[in-house]
Amino acid sequence: MNRNEIAHLISTKLIANKEVLKTQFLESKDTIGYFFIDDLLPEELALEIHNKFPTTKEAIRKKNLREFKYTAYQMDNYNALLEEVIYAFQDKKVVALVSEICQLEEIFEDKHLYAGGLSLMEKDNFLNPHLDNSHDKDRNRWRVLNLLYYVTHNWNTENGGHLEIWPQGLKNKQTTLESKFNRLVVMTTHQNSWHSVSKVLKDDVRCCVSNYYFSDTPILVSDRFHITTFRGRSSEKVKDIFLRIDNSMRSSLRKMFKKGIRENPHQYKK
């Protein structure tokens, strides 16, 4: 199945649920706006997407104080279906529908998959609370939406590895959005959109298809440029100190070098 056919299935599902999704997004818009939709694609197709995912040995391992996960973004190294489904989310009709649901004007897909692509998380993997980098790879457009499509079959509450958003800040309780099979989550990204992924507790791999949308204007008028910024959880006070120092050092470097000391390798180079 190609990207146009998959995009048609996504669009059909979004259109059928558009008013419900608009209401869901409106209820959270003033903090971290989000919506989610289950059973996005036919089950057989969602299972096939999962079955075509690379193994963690075929992906890029990222392990440090901030995160422990695996990513894959050089899509011509993997099964062709995976590239098709990623770019189906970048179809003009899909982008327009998501934009309408989120009440945003003129948003743009990212063909370079800057920080997007595939995400894999196995037992003990995690992603600490963080703010996504505010811009695209060339620092021209603002990152405004994060699209996460989960494809691991029978991924349950007790497995961990769930998306957490912190609409009232890190000192208050998070909202957990489970990484359920065949679920799409769309959330806004701005200078207050703290989010994380809880530690994976099951000896299995949570697989996710990831996309970002960008805009010429930020979500919040008060938004300013920022690097990907990590914090420790309330139970990680020492770790939080080190992460704050790390944030400060990396931020200082970006002030001196607009596009960083080196080009970020996390992008699809065809």
Side-chain angles (χ1 to χ4, degrees):
M1 183 168 281
N2 64 42
R3 64 191 67 184
N4 294 327
E5 294 169 319
I6 299 172
H8 175 72
L9 293 171
I10 296 170
S11 298
T12 300
K13 188 74 173 184
L14 291 176
I15 290 169
N17 294 273
K18 186 166 61 175
E19 297 309 315
V20 172
L21 298 177
K22 281 183 176 180
T23 300
Q24 185 186 141
F25 183 84
L26 187 62
E27 291 175 350
S28 57
K29 182 181 177 182
D30 291 339
T31 52
I32 303 175
Y34 72 91
F35 71 82
F36 65 86
I37 182 168
D38 291 330
D39 304 318
L40 181 72
L41 294 174
E43 183 174 355
E44 298 79 9
L45 176 56
L47 286 169
E48 185 180 1
I49 292 166
H50 177 251
N51 291 337
K52 300 301 185 185
F53 254 67
T55 66
T56 54
K57 291 182 179 179
E58 298 170 304
I60 297 168
R61 185 174 185 257
K62 300 183 73 173
K63 184 179 182 182
N64 50 52
L65 273 181
R66 312 173 201 124
E67 59 189 345
F68 185 9
K69 66 177 184 179
Y70 297 81
T71 60
Y73 44 84
Q74 189 59 40
M75 298 313 303
D76 52 8
N77 289 339
Y78 308 108
N79 187 279
L81 176 62
L82 298 172
E83 181 167 339
E84 295 304 298
V85 70
I86 286 173
Y87 284 101
F89 285 101
Q90 299 193 17
D91 180 270
K92 296 296 184 184
K93 189 171 184 180
V94 174
V95 174
L97 282 165
V98 173
S99 176
E100 181 184 352
I101 291 167
C102 297
Q103 302 176 350
L104 296 175
E105 295 183 8
E106 199 172 18
I107 55 177
F108 304 92
E109 70 281 2
D110 178 25
K111 298 189 182 303
H112 300 286
L113 303 183
Y114 179 56
L118 308 177
S119 171
L120 303 90
M121 298 183 75
E122 61 184 11
K123 192 172 188 295
D124 294 328
N125 284 191
F126 65 90
L127 190 54
N128 255 70
H130 66 285
L131 300 175
D132 289 327
N133 184 319
S134 58
H135 282 70
D136 64 7
K137 75 179 187 69
D138 296 318
R139 201 165 157 179
N140 292 327
R141 286 176 171 157
W142 296 83
R143 190 189 306 262
V144 292
L145 290 175
N146 186 356
L147 288 80
L148 301 164
Y149 175 53
Y150 302 105
V151 294
T152 307
H153 194 239
N154 292 328
W155 195 262
N156 301 316
T157 304
E158 59 270 21
N159 294 4
H162 301 300
L163 175 66
E164 302 167 316
I165 60 175
W166 305 77
Q168 304 301 328
L170 299 180
K171 293 183 178 180
N172 295 291
K173 186 174 176 57
Q174 77 274 19
T175 297
T176 299
L177 302 173
E178 293 192 16
S179 307
K180 290 177 62 176
F181 170 68
N182 208 6
R183 167 177 282 184
L184 171 68
V185 177
V186 177
M187 61 168 283
T188 55
T189 62
H190 49 71
Q191 66 182 27
N192 298 322
S193 59
W194 292 97
H195 57 290
S196 52
V197 178
S198 61
K199 183 180 287 189
V200 175
L201 303 175
K202 184 178 181 181
D203 190 15
D204 198 353
V205 180
R206 190 210 73 164
C207 298
C208 178
V209 176
S210 174
N211 271 279
Y212 290 100
Y213 291 167
F214 295 84
S215 173
D216 289 330
T217 56
I219 292 280
L220 303 178
V221 175
S222 58
D223 274 343
R224 297 292 181 268
F225 169 79
H226 60 262
I227 60 169
T228 305
T229 304
F230 286 84
R231 291 286 306 276
R233 296 173 181 271
S234 59
S235 60
E236 301 173 320
K237 298 189 183 304
V238 174
K239 184 176 183 179
D240 187 54
I241 292 171
F242 281 104
L243 287 176
R244 284 173 181 263
I245 294 171
D246 175 64
N247 293 333
S248 179
M249 292 174 62
R250 290 185 296 112
S251 184
S252 295
L253 285 172
R254 286 302 293 271
K255 288 178 181 178
M256 291 188 289
F257 304 95
K258 181 178 178 181
K259 296 184 180 180
I261 296 176
R262 64 182 178 88
E263 183 181 46
N264 190 324
H266 192 144
Q267 51 185 294
Y268 185 10
K269 295 189 174 182
K270 298 188 179 182

